[in-house]
Amino acid sequence: MTQSLDRLVERQIQKALAEGKLRGLEGEGKPLPDRSGEAFTDMATAVAVRIMAEAGTLPEEFKIKKLLEAAKQSYKEAEGNDAKRVAMALIADLQQRYNIAVEARRRFMGS
């Protein structure tokens, strides 16, 4: 059954190519996006995140992760103990919020 499905899909692709339906698609002629980060994510989560990203919205954990990366950079650039202490407190807070968001998503997705 798998072989017949593969042949059917291949025929449909060849038909679409012959009819020119696969021309002018978004990203045509460009390299595929790097999705190596999805290698350790289950397929359902990866697809859901990709759909959300294409719709212009991301899960809370992604927003927090960007803030966390910025806070880590601020820590590296901080001068003086007080500035480093403030940056470290922010990193700890964001890390905790990130872990909570990841756990919430995992529970919601049932993984």
Side-chain angles (χ1 to χ4, degrees):
M1 176 154 164
T2 306
Q3 288 179 338
S4 61
L5 182 61
D6 288 345
R7 284 194 304 264
L8 174 65
V9 169
E10 186 60 33
R11 279 197 308 262
Q12 292 297 320
I13 291 171
Q14 292 303 320
K15 180 181 174 187
L17 279 170
E19 294 173 356
K21 292 182 178 177
L22 299 179
R23 295 186 204 271
L25 298 174
E26 182 180 342
E28 182 178 11
K30 297 178 183 173
L32 291 173
D34 178 21
R35 294 199 172 118
S36 57
E38 294 178 7
F40 302 106
T41 306
D42 65 282
M43 183 63 80
T45 302
V47 169
V49 168
R50 191 173 319 136
I51 290 169
M52 290 173 71
E54 288 173 2
T57 182
L58 287 174
E60 187 68 20
E61 68 189 82
F62 286 70
K63 295 173 188 174
I64 296 171
K65 188 173 184 178
K66 284 184 180 183
L67 292 172
L68 184 58
E69 290 169 3
K72 287 179 180 179
Q73 185 63 37
S74 293
Y75 176 80
K76 288 179 185 177
E77 296 169 358
E79 295 180 13
N81 289 337
D82 289 338
K84 287 192 180 286
R85 206 172 299 120
V86 169
M88 187 56 81
L90 179 59
I91 290 170
D93 178 61
L94 289 170
Q95 186 67 55
Q96 184 176 20
R97 289 174 48 202
Y98 175 76
N99 291 340
I100 290 168
V102 168
E103 183 61 26
R105 180 197 37 87
R106 284 185 181 148
R107 287 181 184 222
F108 179 75
M109 298 292 284
S111 24

